[in-house]
């Protein structure tokens, strides 16, 4: 019951729709900026998709703003309850631990939807307009580096690889929302938590640029084809997701522990 209530509250927030507008804006930007030869002379859907066709602006920009979308969509739910005194009334009916865990679960779900939905809609459009057949093996059409972890998968079954890339986006987008929510447990000033997921990813971005260790940057490894430009890119994806989830778990544990002691 509590989970459903939290989900409905998140789905009714204007911030969710603002985040979706940003996402669809990136998709449209991708469609109008890809190289004309790809758009007009090659009948293949994958040469249009965000994260696949690197000639379009949206392929990289979408994953750069993904933490902003996720933070905007769900990160402020706890902060709003706390500052609006709604939390006091909720805790009269349910335990804090139950409230926090339901809020995190629904935040992850909504954050994931915000990240994945524009990509799913984009795919649905291009898959009905262009061929979804496997790309020919050609040096002129190489979306994924041949040494990349997803090359053979994409060349043999591009649709399943695309679906898996959506799942990765969903997982990270949900994770970004969780990072924002748990940061609001400790940040006193309202709305700052929405920026935390973006700040987190930009730290990895700047560390990568200053150190020359590019695959440590989350914005570099999230795009489904470009993550294959780095050796063992799949392990970097797994590493950052694990680090994020462990951080969320630890922050949640200490929050629950702190309130139990109080």
């Amino acid at each position: 019951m509590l989970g459903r209530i939290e989900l409905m509250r998140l789905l009714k927030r204007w911030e969710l729709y603002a985040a979706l507008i940003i996402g669809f804006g990136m998709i449209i930007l991708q469609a109008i900026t890809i190289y004309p030869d790809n758009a007009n002379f090659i009948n293949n859907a994958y040469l249009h998709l965000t994260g696949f066709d690197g000639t379009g602006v949206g392929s990289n920009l979408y994953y750069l703003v993904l933490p902003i979308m996720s933070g905007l969509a769900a990160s402020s739910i706890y902060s709003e309850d706390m500052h609006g005194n709604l939390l006091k009334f909720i805790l009269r009916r349910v335990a804090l631990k139950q409230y926090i865990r339901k809020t995190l679960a629904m935040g992850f779900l909504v954050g994931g939807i915000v990240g994945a939905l524009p990509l799913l809609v984009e795919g649905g459009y291009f898959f009905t307009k262009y061929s979804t057949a496997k790309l020919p093996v050609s040096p002129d059409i190489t979306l994924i580096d041949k040494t990349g972890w997803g090359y053979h998968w994409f060349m043999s079954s591009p649709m399943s690889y695309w679906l898996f890339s959506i799942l990765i986006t969903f997982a990270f987008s949900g994770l970004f929302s969780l990072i924002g929510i748990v940061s609001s447990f400790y940040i006193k000033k309202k709305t700052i938590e929405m920026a935390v997921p973006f700040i987190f990813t930009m730290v990895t971005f700047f560390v990568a640029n200053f150190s020359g260790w590019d695959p440590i940057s989350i914005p570099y490894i999230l795009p489904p084809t470009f993550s294959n430009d780095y050796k063992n890119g799949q392990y970097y994806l797994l590493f950052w997701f694990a680090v994020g989830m462990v951080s969320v778990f630890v922050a949640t544990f200490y929050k629950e522990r702190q309130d139990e002691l109080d």
Side-chain angles (χ1 to χ4, degrees):
M1 183 66 177
L2 177 60
R4 185 172 63 182
I5 292 173
E6 290 297 291
L7 177 60
M8 295 307 299
R9 289 178 60 209
L10 284 167
L11 292 176
K12 291 178 180 179
R13 299 171 74 245
W14 69 265
E15 291 92 341
L16 168 68
Y17 299 98
L20 286 172
I21 289 172
I22 294 172
F24 281 108
M26 295 298 101
I27 295 301
I28 294 170
L29 185 63
Q30 167 73 3
I32 63 179
T33 58
I34 59 176
Y35 190 60
D37 284 355
N38 290 8
N40 301 320
F41 301 111
I42 302 175
N43 181 21
N44 191 280
Y46 301 102
L47 289 170
H48 297 73
L49 296 179
T50 299
F52 285 77
D53 182 3
T55 66
V57 174
S59 271
N60 286 320
L61 194 57
Y62 187 90
Y63 296 92
L64 185 65
V65 303
L66 185 64
I68 298 176
M69 295 161 54
S70 303
L72 186 62
S75 288
S76 292
I77 187 69
Y78 175 84
S79 180
E80 290 175 1
D81 290 349
M82 174 64 75
H83 290 91
N85 294 319
L86 180 60
L87 184 58
K88 293 180 180 178
F89 295 99
I90 295 175
L91 296 183
R92 290 177 182 176
R93 307 189 66 175
V94 299
L96 176 67
K97 184 179 294 186
Q98 182 183 5
Y99 163 77
I100 287 177
R101 293 181 182 182
K102 292 293 184 181
T103 298
L104 289 174
M106 294 305 106
F108 180 85
L109 177 62
V110 170
I113 290 172
V114 164
L117 184 59
L119 298 175
L120 287 169
V121 172
E122 177 194 43
Y125 171 76
F126 284 120
F127 291 154
T128 58
K129 190 173 181 180
Y130 295 96
S131 170
T132 58
K134 293 183 288 186
L135 283 168
V137 179
S138 168
D140 297 326
I141 308 175
T142 305
L143 295 185
I144 297 180
D145 190 285
K146 289 186 177 181
T147 62
W149 62 272
Y151 175 76
H152 294 290
W153 184 355
F154 177 73
M155 295 304 293
S156 62
S157 180
M159 180 64 74
S160 66
Y161 179 82
W162 174 77
L163 288 171
F164 185 71
S165 76
I166 299 293
L167 179 61
I168 291 175
T169 302
F170 179 94
F172 272 87
S173 188
L175 174 63
F176 293 145
S177 288
L178 293 185
I179 291 172
I181 293 173
V182 297
S183 70
S184 69
F185 295 163
Y186 305 98
I187 297 175
K188 302 302 180 184
K189 192 171 179 61
K190 188 179 178 182
T191 71
I192 297 297
E193 66 280 345
M194 289 191 290
V196 171
F198 181 69
I199 293 171
F200 168 66
T201 59
M202 291 311 294
V203 168
T204 70
F205 175 82
F206 286 117
V207 168
N209 280 273
F210 282 114
S211 67
W213 191 11
D214 286 352
I216 204 67
S217 167
I218 293 177
Y220 286 167
I221 60 173
L222 268 183
T225 58
F226 307 125
S227 66
N228 286 270
D229 290 343
Y230 309 106
K231 186 177 180 180
N232 298 322
Q234 72 274 35
Y235 298 117
Y236 286 96
L237 284 168
L238 183 60
F239 168 78
W240 277 123
F241 187 76
V243 167
M245 291 302 294
V246 169
S247 300
V248 168
F249 175 81
V250 171
T252 302
F253 173 81
Y254 277 105
K255 174 62 178 176
E256 294 173 350
R257 182 67 174 167
Q258 180 184 32
D259 286 297
E260 285 176 2
L261 293 175
D262 291 342

